Amino acid sequence: MSKELKKNIGFLAALSTVVGVVIGSGVFFKPQAIYTATNGAPGLGLIAWILGGLITIAGGLTATEVSAAIPKTGGMMVYIEEVYGKSLGFLTGWMQTVLFFPGTIAACAVIFAQQASELLGSTSDNMILVLPIAVGIILLTAFLNTIGSSFGGYIQTIATVGKLVPLVLIIIFGFIRGNSTSVFNPMVGSGVNTITTLGQVLVSTLFAYDGWINVGAIAGEMKNPGRDLPRAIVGGLSLVMAVYLAINIAYLWVVPASDLAMVTSPASLVATKIFGAIGGKVISIGILISVFGTLNGYLLTGPRVAYALSKDGLLPGSRMLIKVNKGSSPYNAIYLISILASIYALTGQFNLLSDLTVFAIWVFYVLTFIGVIMLRKSKPNLNRPYRVPLYPIIPLVAILGGGFVVINQLLTSPIISLGGIVITIIGFPIYKYRIKKNSQ
């Protein structure tokens, strides 16, 4: 029997994959951070949703060239290794294992717990209730994923429905029942620096758009990746951007930006205004299902990076982390990610955790974009089933957009950024030690 992946994915399947992977928790909860940063003004927030979408589309189109040219398991760390060498490739996987995946899972768990506590009649800042729920939902999801990878797939299907229902209902009824509060003006509130604030709100929108890097993984299974993959990326992310813009305008159609800045769950506030208390709670349950699906998706994929590093003996405890159960799940790797996520979740800070992970991952995204240009020069004859269109303009848009966000985050949130850098750099001596030990 052939072990080759069949090329049976067409344009529509690829398009739906893009939309399904990207839409998650950020669109429901990030408006609070955005309109807090703009001091209650709506204009710059909406511009950030557009710019975040354009940077993401450019990034997706660029990264897909290297993912199609290097169709190996491991994702971004494989691309980084190919271009920059094994040590930086390891640091990519290390960052994803100890920071990006557990940090993102923790952020989703915290916002899930805050939403759940409000549904239970408490407040979102009641840490006596929030923290146990956050840790509990991480450990529950970890247990469900150890049952088997197919079970995790069922959860994703249910969650996709859960995320679409509240989105569609809020958009439709928001425009019908809203009464057009100011949507685009003013651009920023008093005392706000437009440039630095743009960087801050872009971090929030890029969290909502994240997940696109995984789309390149299906390139090897597409019937015609050269034609259909860029169409799926541009079409899918454009559709996501349109949905994000529509729902944010719907939010503002119903509730002013200054009010959205004051609540943990802007979507639930808007839903309650539209549908009343009971209807708002029903929509909130749909949002919870969506967040749970996002959390599950990251806990489904994150341990595979730890597993891949452990197969090469590069992580401490590699012999334990490569163990797989009868359901084909790397259960020890799953529990490693979930324990780290539980520790991060004890901060109880959704925006801090999500900003930390966006900064960390975008450093490596920018390196990937630069790597596409470097590979064009160093390996011009490399087989490229797909080439980024409008080269080098699209890669440069991705590099400049991502670079602006990373540098701005370093300047405006140095403690968070340096924390991410330190956690990542710790991996370097560990890599050197493991390489030395393995060679002995």
Side-chain angles (χ1 to χ4, degrees), residues 224 240 283:
N224 190 339
V240 171
I283 296 295

Side-chain angles (χ1 to χ4, degrees), residues 20 31 185 428:
N185 289 309
F428 190 71

Side-chain angles (χ1 to χ4, degrees), residues 183-265:
V183 172
F184 289 101
N185 289 309
M187 187 62 63
V188 292
S190 59
V192 173
N193 183 298
T194 304
I195 299 298
T196 56
T197 303
L198 177 61
Q200 288 176 266
V201 295
L202 271 176
V203 169
S204 295
T205 59
L206 289 175
F207 176 79
Y209 282 111
D210 200 43
W212 54 268
I213 192 75
N214 302 313
V215 176
I218 64 172
E221 299 167 73
M222 293 188 68
K223 297 173 185 175
N224 190 339
R227 183 194 68 190
D228 290 341
L229 194 56
R231 290 169 59 208
I233 291 171
V234 173
L237 288 174
S238 298
L239 185 59
V240 171
M241 186 166 69
V243 169
Y244 282 2
L245 268 175
I247 196 167
N248 275 278
I249 293 172
Y251 290 158
L252 294 167
W253 209 258
V254 177
V255 177
S258 54
D259 287 0
L260 295 175
M262 302 301 292
V263 292
T264 305
S265 177

Side-chain angles (χ1 to χ4, degrees), residues 95-333:
M95 178 276 299
Q96 290 176 303
T97 299
V98 301
L99 182 56
F100 175 71
F101 281 109
T104 304
I105 291 163
C108 291
V110 166
I111 205 67
F112 179 96
Q114 290 176 348
Q115 178 84 60
S117 66
E118 288 183 0
L119 272 175
L120 293 171
S122 181
T123 58
S124 61
D125 58 356
N126 181 5
M127 290 303 156
I128 296 173
L129 191 60
V130 167
L131 295 183
I133 293 175
V135 173
I137 198 66
I138 291 170
L139 297 179
L140 172 64
T141 313
F143 170 73
L144 293 175
N145 275 279
T146 59
I147 294 173
S149 54
S150 60
F151 190 81
Y154 294 136
I155 295 173
Q156 287 306 104
T157 303
I158 296 169
T160 300
V161 177
K163 75 176 70 171
L164 292 177
V165 169
L167 279 169
V168 171
L169 290 177
I170 290 173
I171 290 171
I172 293 172
F173 288 96
F175 285 115
I176 292 173
R177 298 188 179 180
N179 53 11
S180 185
T181 59
S182 180
V183 172
F184 289 101
N185 289 309
M187 187 62 63
V188 292
S190 59
V192 173
N193 183 298
T194 304
I195 299 298
T196 56
T197 303
L198 177 61
Q200 288 176 266
V201 295
L202 271 176
V203 169
S204 295
T205 59
L206 289 175
F207 176 79
Y209 282 111
D210 200 43
W212 54 268
I213 192 75
N214 302 313
V215 176
I218 64 172
E221 299 167 73
M222 293 188 68
K223 297 173 185 175
N224 190 339
R227 183 194 68 190
D228 290 341
L229 194 56
R231 290 169 59 208
I233 291 171
V234 173
L237 288 174
S238 298
L239 185 59
V240 171
M241 186 166 69
V243 169
Y244 282 2
L245 268 175
I247 196 167
N248 275 278
I249 293 172
Y251 290 158
L252 294 167
W253 209 258
V254 177
V255 177
S258 54
D259 287 0
L260 295 175
M262 302 301 292
V263 292
T264 305
S265 177
S268 296
L269 172 65
V270 173
T272 303
K273 291 274 188 182
I274 297 171
F275 303 108
I278 296 174
K281 286 186 176 181
V282 171
I283 296 295
S284 295
I285 291 169
I287 294 170
L288 277 178
I289 294 170
S290 174
V291 176
F292 180 69
T294 304
L295 192 157
N296 178 74
Y298 280 101
L299 203 40
L300 186 68
T301 53
R304 270 69 186 175
V305 175
Y307 175 78
L309 289 174
S310 299
K311 283 189 75 175
D312 294 331
L314 296 176
L315 286 182
S318 287
R319 289 182 181 179
M320 293 292 291
L321 294 172
I322 59 172
K323 290 186 176 180
V324 177
N325 63 16
K326 292 180 180 178
S328 297
S329 291
Y331 59 98
N332 283 329

Side-chain angles (χ1 to χ4, degrees), residues 102 106 110 131 135 138 336-348 353:
V110 166
L131 295 183
V135 173
I138 291 170
L336 169 67
I337 299 292
S338 62
I339 290 167
L340 288 172
S342 297
I343 294 169
Y344 286 131
L346 294 176
T347 63
L353 289 167

